Amino acid sequence: MLVICPSCGKRISDRVAACPFCQVTIASDAAAPIPSAPPARIAPPGPPLPRPSFDLPPPPKKTSPLVYVAIGCGLVLALGAVAVGTSVYYLKRKAAEIQAQGTNPELRNTKAVEVLKADRLPDGYYPVAVVSIPGMDMVVLGDQPPRPDGRAAHIRERGYMYMRLFREPENMRALRAFVEGRTDDPSALRANRVDVATTAILRRGSLRLGGGNVLYCAQRGEMSASGGRQKGLQTVTLTDCPDHNMRMGIWFGPDPDPARPPAELNLTGTVADENELRGFLSHFKVCGPAS
C-alpha cells in the first residue's frame, strides 16, 4: 500500500526502507497510510418509469353536414331579410319622394334639372313627372304651368319625354334600326312600349352635341301624353354616349298644317326642325352622368 513520507510528504510504498525522493530512512510505522476514499453510495432504485403508450387518441367527433347546411340556410335567410328590409325601405322612401313632388312644383323642377343635367329648363316647359331610381331616370316636361294646388297640369300641345337606362336592352335594337332608317316599320316603337303611332316619316339625321351623337327620326303621327292622345309631330332621339347608357327622348309638338302632304310640309320652327332640335337639347348635358 502507499504511505506518506514523513520528510518530504511524497507518496511512497510501505515496502521501501528509504524514501526514493529525499533518501530519508523510513521506519515501518513512521509513514501514515493514505486514507482510502469512502465507498460510493448507490442510491436505491426509484419507482419504475411509466410505460409509454403508443395508443392514438380517439378521432374527434365529426360535425354532421346537416349542421353546415342549416347554418348556410340561416345565413341566406338573414341576408335575404336584410335585403328585403332595405328594398322596402328604399321603395317607401322613393314613393314618399314622388308623392311630395306631386304637390310641390319647386321640388319637381329641382329634380328635373338634376336628372336632365341642365342649368335650367327651356322656356315654356314645366316638369310634369320625375322618377330617378338606380339604373333608370325618367322626366316628362309639359307646356302648362302647375295648377294652383301645385300639381302638374295636362299637356296641351308641346312636351318632352326623356328616359335613361343603365344599359341598352336587347329589345331596343329594333327601335334603333327604326331611328337610324334601317327599317320604316313603326311597330318597333310599340314593341318597346313607346306609344307613338306613325303616319309619315318626315326626316332622319344625326347631330353632335355635348360629347355625344344624337340620332333622330322626325315623323307625323299620334302619341299618348298627359291628358290623352295627341296628333302632331314627334321627334324620337337616341343619344350615344361614352358610358353606353341608353338615352331616349321624344320631343313632340303641333303639326303646322295637318292637311298638307308630308313632302310639302314646312318644318321650320317645329320639333322636326334640326336647328330647333339642337337648340332645345342644348339646354341639357346629353351625356351627363347618371343621377
Side-chain angles (χ1 to χ4, degrees), residues 251-262:
W251 191 30
F252 56 95
D255 188 333
D257 193 348
R260 187 173 294 275

Side-chain angles (χ1 to χ4, degrees), residues 72-178:
C73 292
L75 181 60
V76 170
L77 290 175
L79 293 176
V82 172
V84 170
T86 303
S87 299
V88 170
Y89 169 77
Y90 180 81
L91 292 175
K92 285 184 177 180
R93 190 182 69 176
K94 279 297 177 182
E97 179 182 301
I98 294 173
Q99 185 176 8
Q101 292 177 17
T103 56
N104 190 330
E106 290 80 11
L107 182 59
R108 285 198 305 273
N109 189 82
T110 299
K111 195 64 180 178
V113 166
E114 177 186 338
V115 171
L116 292 170
K117 313 302 177 189
D119 295 327
R120 62 181 181 84
L121 297 181
D123 293 337
Y125 286 86
Y126 306 88
V128 175
V130 184
V131 176
S132 180
I133 60 176
M136 188 192 81
D137 290 330
M138 186 183 73
V139 178
V140 179
L141 303 179
D143 58 354
Q144 298 300 306
R147 301 186 318 196
D149 61 359
R151 297 185 182 277
H154 291 316
I155 300 172
R156 288 188 180 177
E157 292 184 325
R158 190 181 296 265
Y160 178 62
M161 296 182 180
Y162 167 83
M163 182 174 65
R164 181 202 65 84
L165 296 177
F166 182 69
R167 285 290 183 269
E168 183 171 313
E170 291 292 329
N171 60 357
M172 293 296 291
R173 291 181 178 178
L175 177 60
R176 177 175 288 275
F178 176 77

